[in-house]
Amino acid sequence: MYDRTFGTEWDDLDREEAVERAFALGVADGVDSKRPAELDRILDAFENAYDRSLIELSYDEGRTKALEIAAETDTDDPDAVWDQLVDGAGSPRGSPVSAALPGAITELTLTRSPREGPPSSLDLPSMLRK
């Protein structure tokens, strides 16, 4: 499933592509295979611990969703579970990372401009407030 959708001939991935591939690998693991070497290859492409943790989280999310769907639908058809979670282009049909990390893939707080005006009392730590 994963190989025919994505292929393994890649030299460089951006974070979003890596997260989508990890999610798909998790789905494949949840329905019919073990943790593939491809996941380790994707992880090795990133040195940043944050990126690696997002990839691992995405993999775990895909595996968990696949196991849940397989149990709920009581199906032995891995392709049916795959089709519910991954579209034909390889994109996850839902969020590849849990709602606990909103915008973690596409939005970095460093790219936002700073707030205008003086800081409010909510911005200061309690030890600095009088």
Side-chain angles (χ1 to χ4, degrees):
M1 291 176 289
Y2 174 85
D3 291 341
R4 77 172 173 247
T5 303
F6 289 97
T8 57
E9 300 298 321
W10 54 269
D11 293 321
D12 192 33
L13 295 173
D14 65 23
R15 182 189 309 158
E16 188 171 349
E17 291 171 321
V19 167
E20 288 179 356
R21 283 177 176 261
F23 180 83
L25 285 167
V27 171
D29 182 7
V31 294
D32 72 346
S33 62
K34 61 183 174 81
R35 179 184 167 116
E38 178 74 1
L39 179 62
D40 293 329
R41 187 171 165 232
I42 292 170
L43 287 168
D44 289 343
F46 293 88
E47 294 179 11
N48 184 326
Y50 177 74
D51 292 337
R52 293 174 63 89
S53 65
L54 275 178
I55 293 165
E56 285 280 355
L57 179 63
S58 181
Y59 172 81
D60 292 341
E61 191 74 16
R63 185 173 183 279
T64 300
K65 286 182 178 182
L67 291 171
E68 288 173 354
I69 288 175
E72 289 171 2
T73 59
D74 198 26
T75 184
D76 291 333
D77 183 13
D79 288 328
V81 175
W82 176 268
D83 290 339
Q84 285 185 20
L85 295 171
V86 181
D87 69 17
S91 296
R93 294 192 188 274
S95 174
V97 291
S98 72
L101 296 171
I105 295 173
T106 58
E107 183 179 306
L108 296 174
T109 57
L110 297 175
T111 61
R112 291 188 211 148
S113 58
R115 188 175 41 212
E116 297 294 323
S120 72
S121 63
L122 297 175
D123 294 331
L124 299 174
S126 61
M127 64 182 184
L128 295 177
R129 283 185 245 143
K130 288 185 178 182

